[in-house]
């Protein structure tokens, strides 16, 4: 048993008052959860604190909150560990971010999370009629692969932590895009291409993720939503060659083409090539590409003016001494029939031991 | 300490002042750097998005080159993004010998091979400072404490997340090294919302609004928290926070104008190097005010 | 006043399956749940779902295992239906998109489970319930015809003057508004009542609401004494470790390192029926061969690591997060813990209760397919088969019928009752105190081993708590997300459940399935091969009996 100080963000919409912090003391063994702490306060002191919770075992996905500023499930955050990370001694508990608050720790998930989930057509659109009297035959690895996204409990913790959503509330977001992968990765689904096209073309879709790992860091179920977004991109560009108007395809192609040619990044060509599906000439000739390049001109001007970008550097980039090695590797791997992916979620981080 | 040194692409491209300042700072910290001038781009997350085996192979190539450096204690990088992208590959390469074998088969024609195990490491300059050199030693080397400077740390996503992959279990303080270094150099770390958030650079070509709103907001938050400047161990963050700062200002509809230092520049200042030697004139947002303060410190 | 042909209360597997089945018939369907549907406790079913799909298996074998598992208290006609329909139900789920585990040929693969004579459990790693629940919810989102009322708390059922169901009274948790939902048929799918016990594997929402609501309007509850203690739950918190662990080969040991199941079930060992394994564990613990924390050990390290990673991932997390144990490297301490109620609202094989227009399906119902003891991986099956059958039957039955006129005075009464609780001036005990005492009482007296004295003590306590629950102290006076008043209402539901359980347990003077009476240690088919029913006709509960339906399986001695 130990004593812990909890600082809970309270908000009562009926009071007409703003949200405020309230302090509580709880007594629990350190291995118990922050949720247990909150429930103890409710049980002993003030039952009016609102928090959604049910299973206490990180499967129902109800109790997403922010603990010491970090999005998490209250039920699988140990109170002792939260106390160690707490500043000024008190564990802070706030409602999740990026969503409106209904009361205390309860957020309006319907208005944000579920709306986004419905945006990705979250049901199977089978490629063909189900086989009569039997199951669809699919590779076992494919089912294991989508099990990672199936493991999502829709708790919204990633939505709460998403740094893109913070600046673009229209971003479809990590949970919904992970849900989209659950269908795009499912061989039974017949709409892979149209799903990917939709998500690639949406300015708030797969190319609005800034690759910040915030969702990967906080997900209590190791769904790694960002990794699923990257797989959506991989399929969109490589499997279906979807040349989207957000330059997602162009950016990826430009990057790989540049590395293939020079071995290190030639920044000055990344932008124009991105605007032209990877091609420098196309990017400069295309009206849309030219427009976007013009938008970047002030930045180019600043770069030149400060002396950090000199005109020669913008035109010439040195090749790596062993560039042919890099080129060979790229050619060799790109020409393989199958893309090899090692998903540590599936094989286990200690795959070595099981091999 | 002898290290295999991977400078990355941007430090030799759009942020040459970074590469230059590392060259100046390293000897003052007794670092002998063997530059991996034949190594290739880490992929910056983009090649990973394109083809996982490809990015793993390209980085295995870099690791193999680093492992060939005689007497090196490990490999050093100077970019959060390189750190994250390379750690991701290393995690996969270390997890499975059969996968590693497959990857190494692509390196074999050039006589290269990445060997897992044996505690071989790849660390950002920030981690080298805190773990290999040590904050105490760093403190001892300071000849010009940056007293009175209020510096806002900007870590860069790739060096703080995912914490598990980045070894935070063994080194929990990796989360606060930048604050600690700022303090060790005599300056005051500024607390503000953006320290571990995303600079927005990865989507600059795909969603300029999202990208520059992020950059603008963090700069604005740091200004509001009273920072004299930002410091970052990531040149890609630097591009969005410094080079794009004038553009970002319009996305947050306010004036910005906060200098952004590279980590080695900040260290160099405290170790007595002149701002000019550290390329501080080559920033988009003028570092004049910071230089002014340094000059005052020198005078005092 | 919202109106629907069919109103489903509860949105776990049974409720969602019922709603989808009814909607497919073109009926107007409303589905009400006190939590968002994907928060339902069906999530927690880890191990899998049974079906005799494999050509070498047969529905008869599945049925026999189920009947034997039930200790011959299950109704054989209902069990036959469940087992015959299982393969079709499973394939339907697969076609809807459930990501069931595949074998090397890409066909559905199975794992072994307790009490089963064949490996017939189909699964998605150890998140089977979650995967099915989420896939059904996908379908619910797709079927915009199904009207979803998420986070609405139903407090009472409403009848017309002929006693036919006319709707339900429900409180919108979000704003506290109370509405009468008018419906031609109501399907209760509100789940179990594990929260009566402390500890329990059940979620905080499992408070037996539907069972109590049906009971209050006179529907008989059946087999209520049959409370399953799951053999592998974490001490203290009561969290579940799936039977799948033993299905994959894990062993049980006592503190002396003996694989004690050799003594109790030499053939099936750890994969005997749950009642048998739980009793064995409790005997070891009671006789001093357990660990000091009142547990025995489950050793999962014998399962290959690759297999653990593929099939028992959730258990790795539970061990790590909630017990601080790496189950791939060391045994984990477990004990029997409250898990499931075999009993519930008595229904026929189409989910019909004794109240016209009222249906029940899933854990709140008692068809009875589980009798004295449910086999692992039969609960998901039960929810789906009887959920669908209820939805179908209700949709067909209400076709062409007019909406019933509810007695509007009931709405006013209910509003008054609830505001009476909210406005009370806090003189009584706290909801949490009464609930805690109930939990300890049930776990002490109405657990694995029972006797007359203990049960009587338990009954006295329950009746006293029922009295105390009429005057609970309430902190929250608000309308928005007032969980305090919901807690008080749930507690009253729970106490009705508790009373029915204890009364039934006192009544059954024999040992069968989950009911083990130390004062009547033998099964007594001559006197007790029958169901016990409890109903509340008027104020006092009434006990009655009903026959067990036998088709082709005569009771035999039960050994594993």
């Amino acid at each position: 048993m130990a004593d812990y100080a909890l600082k809970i963000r309270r908000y009562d919409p009926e009071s007409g008052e703003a949200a405020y912090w309230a302090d509580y003391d709880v007594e629990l063994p350190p291995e118990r959860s922050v949720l247990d702490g909150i429930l103890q306060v409710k049980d002993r002191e003030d039952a009016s604190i609102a928090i959604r919770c049910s299973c206490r075992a990180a499967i129902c996905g109800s109790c997403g909150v922010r603990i010491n500023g970090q999005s998490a499930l209250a039920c699988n955050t140990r109170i002792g560990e939260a106390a160690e990370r707490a500043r000024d001694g008190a564990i802070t508990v706030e409602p999740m971010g990026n969503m409106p608050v209904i009361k205390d720790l309860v957020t309006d998930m319907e208005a944000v999370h579920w709306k986004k989930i419905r945006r990705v057509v979250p049901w199977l659109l089978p490629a063909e009629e189900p086989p009569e009297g039997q199951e669809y035959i699919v590779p076992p690895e494919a089912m294991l692969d989508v099990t990672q996204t199936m493991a999502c409990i829709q708790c919204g913790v990633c939505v709460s932590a998403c740094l893109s959503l913070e600046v673009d509330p229209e971003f479809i977001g990590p949970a919904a895009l992970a849900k989209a992968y659950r269908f795009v990765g499912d061989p039974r689904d017949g709409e892979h291409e149209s799903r990917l096209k939709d998500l690639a073309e949406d300015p708030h879709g797969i190319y609005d993720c800034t690759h910040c790992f915030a969702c990967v860091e906080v997900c209590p179920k190791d769904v790694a939503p960002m990794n699923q977004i990257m797989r959506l991109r991989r399929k969109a560009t490589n499997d279906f060659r979807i040349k989207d108007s957000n330059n997602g395809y162009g950016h990826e192609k430009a990057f790989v083409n540049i590395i293939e040619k020079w071995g290190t990044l030639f920044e000055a060509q990344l932008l124009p090539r991105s605007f032209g599906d990877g091609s420098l000439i196309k990017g400069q000739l295309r009206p849309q590409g030219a427009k976007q390049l013009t938008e970047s001109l002030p930045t180019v001007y600043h770069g030149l003016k400060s002396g950090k970008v000199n005109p020669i550097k913008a035109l010439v980039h040195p090749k790596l001494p062993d560039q042919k090695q890099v080129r060979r590797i790229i050619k060799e791997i790109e020409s393989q029939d199958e893309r090899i992916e090692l998903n540590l979620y599936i094989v286990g981080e200690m795959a070595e031991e099981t091999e | 300490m002898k290290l295999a040194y991977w400078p990355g692409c941007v430090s030799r491209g759009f942020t040459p002042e970074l590469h230059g300042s590392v060259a100046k700072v390293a000897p003052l910290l007794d670092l002998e750097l063997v530059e991996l001038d034949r190594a290739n781009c880490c992929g910056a997350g983009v090649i990973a998005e394109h083809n996982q085996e490809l990015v793993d192979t390209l980085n295995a190539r870099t690791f193999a080159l680093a492992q060939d450096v005689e007497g090196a204690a490990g490999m050093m990088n100077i970019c959060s993004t390189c750190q994250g992208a390379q750690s991701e590959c290393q995690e996969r390469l270390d997890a499975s010998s059969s996968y590693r074998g497959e990857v190494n088969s692509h390196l074999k024609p050039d006589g290269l091979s990445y060997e897992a195990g044996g505690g071989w490491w790849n660390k950002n300059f920030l981690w080298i400072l805190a773990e290999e050199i040590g904050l105490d030693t760093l403190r001892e080397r300071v000849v010009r404490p940056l007293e009175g400077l209020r510096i806002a740390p900007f870590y860069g996503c790739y060096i703080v997340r995912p914490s598990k992959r980045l070894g935070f279990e063994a080194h929990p303080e990796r989360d606060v090294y930048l604050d600690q270094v700022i303090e060790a150099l005599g300056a005051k770390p500024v607390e503000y919302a953006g320290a571990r958030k995303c600079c927005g650079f990865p989507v600059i070509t795909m969603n300029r609004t999202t990208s520059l709103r992020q950059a603008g907001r963090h700069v604005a938050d740091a200004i509001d928290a009273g920072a004299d400047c930002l410091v970052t161990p990531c040149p890609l963050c630097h591009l969005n926070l410094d080079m794009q700062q004038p553009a970002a200002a319009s996305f947050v509809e306010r004036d910005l104008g906060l200098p952004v230092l590279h980590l080695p520049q900040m260290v160099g200042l405290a170790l007595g190097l002149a701002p000019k030697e550290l390329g501080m004139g080559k920033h988009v947002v003028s570092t004049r005010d910071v230089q002014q303060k340094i000059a005052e410190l020198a005078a005092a | 006043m919202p109106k629907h042909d069919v109103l489903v209360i509860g949105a776990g597997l049974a409720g969602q399956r019922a709603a989808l089945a009814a909607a497919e018939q073109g009926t107007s369907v409303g589905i009400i749940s006190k939590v968002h549907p994907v928060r339902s406790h069906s999530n927690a079913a880890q191990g899998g779902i049974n079906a005799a799909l494999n050509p070498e298996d047969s529905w008869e074998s599945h049925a026999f295992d189920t009947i034997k598992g039930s200790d011959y208290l299950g109704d054989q006609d209902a069990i036959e239906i469940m087992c015959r329909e299982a393969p079709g139900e499973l394939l339907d789920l697969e076609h809807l998109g459930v990501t069931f585990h595949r074998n090397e040929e890409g066909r559905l693969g199975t794992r072994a489970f307790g009490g089963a004579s064949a490996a017939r459990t189909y699964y998605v790693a150890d998140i089977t319930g979650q995967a099915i629940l989420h896939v059904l919810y996908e379908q619910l989102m797709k079927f915009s015809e199904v009207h979803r009322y998420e986070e609405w708390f139903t407090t009472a059922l409403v009848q017309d003057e002929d006693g036919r169901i006319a709707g339900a009274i429900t409180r919108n948790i979000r704003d506290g508004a109370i509405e009468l939902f008018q419906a031609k048929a109501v399907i209760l799918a509100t789940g179990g009542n594990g929260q009566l016990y402390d500890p329990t594997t059940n979620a905080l929402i499992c408070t037996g609401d539907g069972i109590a609501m049906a009971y209050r309007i006179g529907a008989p509850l059946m087999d209520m004494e049959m409370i399953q203690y799951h053999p592998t739950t974490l001490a203290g918190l009561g969290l579940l470790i799936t039977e799948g662990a033993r299905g994959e080969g894990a062993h049980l040991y006592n503190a002396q390192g003996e694989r004690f199941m050799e003594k109790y079930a030499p053939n099936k060992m750890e994969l005997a029926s749950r009642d048998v394994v739980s009793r064995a564990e409790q005997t070891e613990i009671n006789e001093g061969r357990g660990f000091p924390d009142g547990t025995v050990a489950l050793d999962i390290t014998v399962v290959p690591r690759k297999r653990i990673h593929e099939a028992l991932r959730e258990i790795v997390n539970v061990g790590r997060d909630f017990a601080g144990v790496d189950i791939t490297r060391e045994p984990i301490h477990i004990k029997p813990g409250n898990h499931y109620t075999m009993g519930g609202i008595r229904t026929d094989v189409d989910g019909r209760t004794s109240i016209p227009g009222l249906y029940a399906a899933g854990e709140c119902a008692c068809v009875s397919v589980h009798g004295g003891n449910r086999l692992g991986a039969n609960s998901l099956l039960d929810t789906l088969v009887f959920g669908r059958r209820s939805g179908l039957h209700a949709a067909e039955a209400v076709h062409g019928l007019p909406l019933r006129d509810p007695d509007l005075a009931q709405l006013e009464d209910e509003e008054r009752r609830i505001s009476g609780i909210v406005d009370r001036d806090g003189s009584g005990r706290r909801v949490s105190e009464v609930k805690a005492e109930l939990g300890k009482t049930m776990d002490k007296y109405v657990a694995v081993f029972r006797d007359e004295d203990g049960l009587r003590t338990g009954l006295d306590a329950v009746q006293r708590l029922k009295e105390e629950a009429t005057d609970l102290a309430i902190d929250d006076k608000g309308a928005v997300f007032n969980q305090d008043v919901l807690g008080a209402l749930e507690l009253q539901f729970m106490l009705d459940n508790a009373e029915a359980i204890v009364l039934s347990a006192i009544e059954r003077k024999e040992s069968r399935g989950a009911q083990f009476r130390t004062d009547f240690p033998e099964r007594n088919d001559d006197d007790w091969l029958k169901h016990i029913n409890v109903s509340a006709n008027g104020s006092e509960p009434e006990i009655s009996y009903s026959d067990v339906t036998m088709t082709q399986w005569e009771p035999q001695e039960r050994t594993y």
Side-chain angles (χ1 to χ4, degrees), chain C residues 346-526:
Chain C
R346 192 178 84 200
T347 71
D348 69 6
V349 296
D350 290 313
R352 281 184 294 182
T353 71
S354 64
I355 311 280
L358 181 65
Y359 295 73
E363 195 173 344
C364 73
C366 181
V367 189
S368 142
V369 285
H370 309 304
N373 171 69
R374 173 176 69 76
L375 292 192
N378 264 356
S379 63
L380 290 181
L381 182 58
D382 169 19
T383 63
L384 294 161
V385 167
F386 295 102
R388 183 173 45 77
R389 291 178 69 92
S390 303
L392 269 180
H393 195 280
E396 280 164 17
V398 300
H399 191 70
L401 287 184
L403 277 166
R404 299 284 155 163
D405 287 326
D407 180 359
L408 289 175
Q410 283 189 53
L411 177 62
E412 287 166 29
D413 289 349
E414 198 62 5
E415 278 172 340
R416 206 172 308 120
R417 181 173 79 98
I418 293 168
S419 56
I421 297 172
V422 177
D423 297 338
R424 202 176 287 140
D425 60 354
S427 59
R429 295 179 79 187
R430 296 182 70 78
V431 177
S432 56
E433 276 176 60
V434 178
K435 186 178 166 192
E437 191 182 341
L438 173 66
K440 294 298 171 204
T441 303
M442 296 299 285
D443 193 53
K444 186 166 180 192
Y445 301 114
V446 204
V448 175
F449 293 109
R450 308 165 175 182
D451 63 35
E452 179 87 16
D453 286 350
L455 290 169
R456 290 276 169 209
T457 311
L459 183 62
D460 289 346
V462 168
Q463 285 171 341
R464 174 173 48 78
L465 295 174
K466 239 182 132 166
E467 189 53 40
E468 291 174 353
T470 59
D471 183 32
L472 296 163
I474 298 294
D475 297 335
D476 196 339
K477 306 294 177 193
V480 179
F481 255 87
N482 186 335
Q483 295 175 318
D484 200 8
V485 72
L486 300 188
L489 293 165
E490 284 175 338
L491 180 62
Q492 291 171 342
F493 287 147
M494 286 160 62
L495 287 160
D496 284 356
N497 280 260
E499 187 176 60
I501 292 170
V502 186
L503 284 171
S504 306
I506 292 172
E507 184 68 17
R508 184 174 291 281
K509 293 178 176 53
E510 65 154 353
S511 291
R512 179 186 300 273
Q515 156 109 337
F516 193 94
R517 290 278 300 253
T518 50
D519 41 357
F520 300 99
E522 299 298 324
R523 191 174 87 188
N524 175 354
D525 287 341
D526 292 340

Side-chain angles (χ1 to χ4, degrees), chain C residues 13-282:
Chain C
L13 288 189
Q16 292 198 36
R17 193 71 195 85
L20 288 167
E24 278 162 9
Q25 302 303 304
T27 348
S28 144
V29 180
I31 182 164
I32 298 177
S33 172
K34 66 176 175 179
V35 292
H36 186 283
V38 304
R39 316 288 174 224
S40 304
H41 190 57
S42 307
N43 260 333
Q46 298 166 339
I49 176 168
N50 287 334
L53 181 66
N54 199 319
E56 289 95 68
D57 200 357
S58 70
W59 72 262
E60 290 93 342
S61 163
H62 182 189
F64 172 71
D65 291 341
T66 303
I67 290 161
K68 180 180 171 188
S70 83
D71 219 348
Y72 297 91
L73 189 65
D75 285 314
Q76 298 185 2
D77 56 338
I79 292 171
E80 285 191 14
I81 287 174
M82 180 174 84
C83 298
R84 279 174 191 266
E85 293 186 1
E89 198 58 50
L90 182 81
L91 289 175
D92 279 355
L93 293 173
E94 197 280 326
H95 295 157
L96 290 178
V98 178
T99 54
F100 284 113
H101 174 82
R102 307 289 158 146
N103 60 23
E104 288 303 311
E105 289 84 52
R107 308 293 301 259
L108 294 173
T110 58
R111 67 160 45 125
F113 238 62
S117 48
R120 64 168 73 95
T121 304
Y122 293 86
Y123 65 98
V124 182
D126 53 359
I127 56 165
T128 314
Q130 178 192 325
I132 300 175
L133 184 72
H134 284 244
V135 167
L136 287 190
Y137 188 69
E138 290 167 9
Q139 296 299 310
L140 219 53
M141 290 190 278
K142 181 179 169 192
F143 269 91
S144 51
E145 299 90 329
V146 182
H147 217 95
R148 305 191 303 273
Y149 301 91
E150 294 165 354
E151 302 194 316
W152 287 68
F153 185 93
T154 305
T155 65
L157 298 171
V158 175
Q159 292 162 284
D160 69 4
E161 54 189 16
D162 301 331
R164 197 190 152 82
I165 211 78
I169 296 171
T170 295
R171 177 180 165 104
N172 185 346
I173 297 173
R174 179 110 183 223
D175 62 11
I178 295 178
E179 291 262 19
L180 198 158
F181 282 67
Q182 218 180 341
K184 298 173 188 172
V186 171
I187 302 173
L188 290 170
T190 51
N193 55 20
Q195 281 295 311
L196 272 64
Y197 285 77
D198 180 18
T200 174
T201 62
N202 282 200
L204 297 169
I205 54 174
C206 302
T207 49
D209 303 3
I211 294 176
M213 283 188 279
Y215 179 63
R216 287 176 187 181
I217 63 168
L221 307 181
M222 187 164 86
D223 297 347
M224 289 297 281
E225 71 280 18
M226 298 303 179
I227 298 290
Q228 181 166 77
Y229 268 60
H230 192 288
T232 54
T233 72
L234 290 185
L237 288 172
L239 299 181
L240 176 68
I241 303 290
T242 177
E243 185 164 308
R246 283 169 289 139
E248 299 292 343
H251 298 162
L252 290 167
Y253 292 98
N254 61 20
Q256 294 160 7
E258 295 161 343
R259 209 177 148 195
F260 57 85
M261 285 310 296
E262 284 168 359
K263 286 185 288 186
Y264 303 91
N267 296 317
K268 298 295 285 185
M269 300 289 284
E270 281 84 359
L271 287 178
S273 274
R274 286 179 177 175
D275 57 328
V276 174
V277 181
S278 283
R279 247 183 330 267
E281 290 176 3
Q282 197 60 52

Side-chain angles (χ1 to χ4, degrees), chain A residues 87 163 166-167 208 211-212 217 233-234 238 247 252 263 267 313 322 328 332 334 336 342 352 355, chain B residues 13-14 38 41 48 50 52-53 95-97 106 110 158 161 163 191 197 205 207 210 213-214:
Chain A
R87 312 185 51 171
L163 295 176
E166 199 175 89
V167 295
D208 198 13
H211 209 282
C212 74
E217 178 72 14
R233 288 186 182 178
R234 199 176 299 155
N238 294 327
N247 310 319
E252 185 187 311
E267 299 106 317
K313 234 179 192 172
D322 292 328
R328 182 190 49 74
E332 199 171 298
E334 299 268 68
Q336 288 177 167
L342 183 79
E352 203 89 282
E355 271 169 8
Chain B
F14 278 6
R38 313 180 92 77
C41 172
H50 173 75
Q52 201 189 75
E53 191 190 358
S96 158
S97 55
H106 299 298
D110 304 315
Y158 279 82
R161 285 182 296 269
S163 57
E191 268 187 46
K197 289 188 177 177
T205 56
N207 196 325
T210 293
R213 267 192 205 154
Q214 287 187 323

